[in-house]
Amino acid sequence: IVVVNDDDDDDDAAAEVKEVTLLKVTSRCLEKVVEFLKHHHTEKMNEIPMPLPGNNFDECMQQEWYRNFVGDMDRDMIFEILGAANYMNIKPLLDLACLRVTFELTGKTAEEIRVYLNLPELTPEEEAKAREEHAWIFEESNN
């Protein structure tokens, strides 16, 4: 990928061109990252407050464009975006994708979370140890 830095206000200044290798980002994902960055350049994303101000994704993300941007993504793309945003240190995109995943996991059982995250099944020994050390994870949700 070639990056051109032309933020300089001096029209006579030559644009700085840098070549950057992004080994961990697919072209499909990179297209989404560029779409995000272009929009973010014109409309900054509001910082996501903690604690979260709502009980679902739409209540916490008030900006429609950002809500729709990740709201339409499938699980695989969301995780690609998470990895790319982390790898490229794009905090607003990382925060947005994390918010979406947070609400995807909210109210799910440990088994539903395992399936969503595509984690391997625990052996009986591993599950017994996990239940002992992290009992809250296995509590049934009242939602």
Side-chain angles (χ1 to χ4, degrees), residues 62-115:
Q62 297 291 314
Q63 292 170 282
E64 183 179 8
W65 188 92
Y66 292 103
R67 192 171 54 242
N68 293 337
F69 179 74
V70 293
D72 296 337
M73 287 183 191
D74 62 34
R75 182 189 64 91
D76 291 341
M77 179 53 77
I78 280 291
F79 283 102
E80 282 189 54
I81 290 290
L82 277 169
N86 186 47
Y87 178 66
M88 293 188 277
N89 196 26
I90 305 170
K91 187 179 181 331
L93 181 56
L94 182 61
D95 290 348
L96 182 62
C98 285
L99 182 67
R100 163 82 192 283
V101 171
T102 295
F103 286 107
E104 288 292 326
L105 299 178
T106 300
K108 291 194 178 341
T109 65
E111 178 61 16
E112 290 169 327
I113 291 170
R114 184 195 67 74
V115 170

Side-chain angles (χ1 to χ4, degrees), residues 32-42 65 90 93:
K32 299 300 280 182
V33 170
V34 169
E35 180 183 352
F36 175 89
L37 291 172
K38 283 181 177 179
H39 185 81
H40 189 267
H41 184 72
T42 59
W65 188 92
I90 305 170
L93 181 56

Side-chain angles (χ1 to χ4, degrees), residues 15-67:
E16 181 182 354
V17 177
K18 294 180 184 177
E19 188 169 319
V20 179
T21 303
L22 299 173
L23 300 175
K24 298 180 179 184
V25 181
T26 66
S27 59
R28 180 179 144 218
C29 181
L30 185 58
E31 287 176 10
K32 299 300 280 182
V33 170
V34 169
E35 180 183 352
F36 175 89
L37 291 172
K38 283 181 177 179
H39 185 81
H40 189 267
H41 184 72
T42 59
E43 179 196 3
K44 299 287 186 228
M45 188 178 89
N46 297 335
E47 189 170 322
I48 299 168
M50 291 296 172
L52 294 174
N55 295 317
N56 61 50
F57 180 75
D58 290 348
E59 289 176 3
C60 293
M61 179 43 62
Q62 297 291 314
Q63 292 170 282
E64 183 179 8
W65 188 92
Y66 292 103
R67 192 171 54 242

